[in-house]
Structure formats: structure tokens, C-alpha cells
Amino acid sequence: MDLLNTLVDKGLRRELPTREEALAVLATSDDDLLDVVAAAGKVRRHWFGRRVKLNYLVNLKSGLCPEDCSYCSQRLGSKAEILKYTWLKPEEASQAAAAGVAGGAKRVCLVASGRGPTDRDVDRVAKTIAAVKEQNEGVEVCACLGLLSDGQAERLRGAGADAYNHNLNTSEATYADITKTHTYADRVDTVQKAHAAGLSACSGLIAGMGEKDEDLVDVVFSLRELDADSVPVNFLIPFEGTPLAKEWNLTPQRCLRILAMARFVCPDVEVRIAGGREVHLRSLQPLALNIANSIFLGDYLTSEGQAGKDDLAMIADAGFEVEGTDQVTLPRHRVDAAAGCGSHEGGACGSHEGGGCGPCGSAEPVAGPVAEPVADSNEARTDLVAVRRRGAGTDLAPNA
């Protein structure tokens, strides 16, 4: 396909595709799906080889959030039967992080529900960062604490944080449809604060909330404009007890197209398959590794993921290798640029869940000589949504 050849050439040159080209990726047919994956794979391998970066989530404070994000199981008014607990002690968080590092994780993502941290919360997280780094030599730490006030990003960096995550989630045009208690501009401001403080900026999206293709393209173009080092792509986990519980409109094929579009628009950044991969990619997860160069190991914030040992087996069976702590994630030109402005190197974390606050049904061929697109559809796989009952905040061993 001329489209894919053009996108590969642009990806190897770090040239931004047109919006029409990005939309065309999302509109490709199932017959062309493997060609789309192969093309995105060429760009992925050029910048990241066959390495897969493993990240591990530690939910420092679960539930009890005053924000009304409609995708999130921790939201105000959520009836999802998730774990609810207040702040973990630094040694508890460090112990949870150690399980992920032992499983091969290079980065630990420390996440706390809430609108944003108080100064006291920043002090608490600073102690947790110190405990995690003391126990786990060489580990990268990403913080995800919500909206930042002036000076807080600098304090987190001074405490040893390498990165900060805050997802845009969806397009500016549709943001008010999913959240009323803060704005899209608030989220952009926090990403910019993190960047200005020298933290590696991590920001991504959630697919599957009923958005249009144009919304997906808009948010990914915005992420490129923000120059995020890491773009986690979350697929909505429709938790019972949340407003989006009935939004089952993703298929594995649709998810692969979304990942490919993100790779073409952001060719040289860490594209991560984040929340919801087990629910929506299902048996096509290994194929997605040809596009994305990063995943979460084990469980998410409020839902259980694939067993950690199965994650590692999947990576090996697909012909990829786990990225070591001695390997640099980003291409050299991005590392050099970050060093020039005082920023840390890295990728970063995903965020809430619901797919992934802080966390893709495509055309099927019609019988006959010419395949015509039909509406996206997907059956509800509620059996694949398991509330996390182990790890941080429990007495059970974590999944890593």
C-alpha cells in the first residue's frame, strides 16, 4: 500500500504524518491488518530494536477520589467493588515495587488517586521514592499523582523521580464529555510543568470511550506536540459501577490499528500497551509487541492483569527481549535533546485505570468479492475484567 510505504518513510525520518494519513490507518480493512502491523513494526524496530521495556504499577492510594472521570473505577460515586485504602507506608510501597523489579521491570510507577497532591503528599511520595531507589538499585521511578501545583514537579525531581505521568485521555473537543471536575487544559498544564522541571513527560490516551477516529488522531497529535517521551495507550476497561460500563466497542483488530497510528505519529517515543490489553487485544497481544516497545508487567491499579510469568513468556515466544536496566530506552537523539534542556531520559507510566486514567472494533469483511466496512462491534467480555485482590493494599503476594 502506498499509504504504508509513505508512513514508514516518514517514521524513519521522524516526519509528522498528515491527519488524513493517520485517519486512513484507522480506516484500513481487516484484510490489510497484517500489512499495517508490519509497517508499524519497521518503524518500531528502527528506533527500538526488539527490546520491550517492562513497567510495574504500585497503587499508593486506591479509590476515594473526588474527581468524576467517567472511565475510572476510583471516581467520585463509583460503585465498582475495588480495593479502597489510604496511603501505603514507604516501606510497603518499596516492598511492592521490589516484586515488579524482581520480575524484570525497569521502571516503577507510583500512582495515587486524587485531584492532585498536597505539599504533605509530595513529602510522603518523596520518602517513598527514596525507599524504592534504596532497595532497588538502578530502577527508574515515575510518579503519577494528578494535577500538579507550581513547584511540585521540581520537588519530585529533587526527590529522585525520573518521570511524571498525566494522561490527556481524549481529544480537547470531547474532554468535557468524560470529566466535569477539571479541564483538558488542566491536564496539558501538568504535563508542561513536569517537562519544565526536567522530568521525563509521560502522557497517553484511553481508547474505547465512544470517541470518533478524529478524536483519537487529535489526542495523539496533541501528545506529539507536547513532546512526551512516553505514550501509554490504554483500552477502556468497562468496570461495572462506572458510567462507561456498557462501552464494549473495541476489537483486537481495532486496538492494533490504534497502536499503529500512535507509532506512526510518534515514531521515536516509547509507545506502551497499557491498561486493558488483556481484555481487548486478548490472543493478539503478542502481535501488538511488533508496534509497541513497552508494557506493564502483571496487575494494574484496580484490575488484575495477565500473570507476570505469562507476560515474560509472551515476550520471549514472540521473539523479543526484555530491556535491561543498563540499556537506554529512548533513541540517542531524544536523550541528547533531553540532556540539553536538563530533562531525564526515560519513558514513563500509565495512569489511573478505567482503561487507564492515570487507563477497538473494526471493519469485518462482508461476504462477496468486495469487502465493505461495517460498524465496529464487540461482545461484552465481562469475564475478563477481574478486580485486583492481591498485591499493594492486601496481604496477598503481588502478581509480577
Side-chain angles (χ1 to χ4, degrees), residues 205-261:
L205 63 142
I206 306 172
M209 298 189 291
E211 70 282 334
K212 298 177 181 178
D213 284 359
E214 289 79 3
D215 295 311
L216 291 169
V217 169
D218 284 350
V219 69
V220 175
F221 269 66
S222 295
L223 292 167
R224 166 136 178 179
E225 185 176 352
L226 281 173
D227 197 27
D229 286 326
S230 175
V231 175
V233 179
N234 297 278
F235 303 109
L236 176 72
I237 302 176
F239 273 95
E240 288 295 330
T242 65
L244 298 185
K246 305 303 180 186
E247 291 287 342
W248 288 89
N249 50 30
L250 303 178
T251 66
Q253 295 85 357
R254 173 72 166 170
C255 293
L256 289 171
R257 292 185 185 91
I258 292 169
L259 286 167
M261 185 270 289

Side-chain angles (χ1 to χ4, degrees), residues 103-157:
K106 178 177 178 178
R107 169 156 293 186
V108 170
C109 306
L110 302 176
V111 187
S113 61
R115 179 178 178 84
T118 64
D119 287 341
R120 181 183 178 187
D121 292 336
V122 173
D123 289 339
R124 188 195 321 263
V125 173
K127 293 176 182 176
T128 300
I129 293 170
V132 169
K133 290 209 163 190
E134 182 178 356
Q135 184 174 350
N136 304 280
E137 184 177 357
V139 72
E140 299 172 0
V141 173
C142 176
C144 176
L145 311 173
L147 301 173
L148 293 175
S149 300
D150 290 345
Q152 290 183 329
E154 287 79 4
R155 290 176 61 197
L156 288 168
R157 187 186 178 191

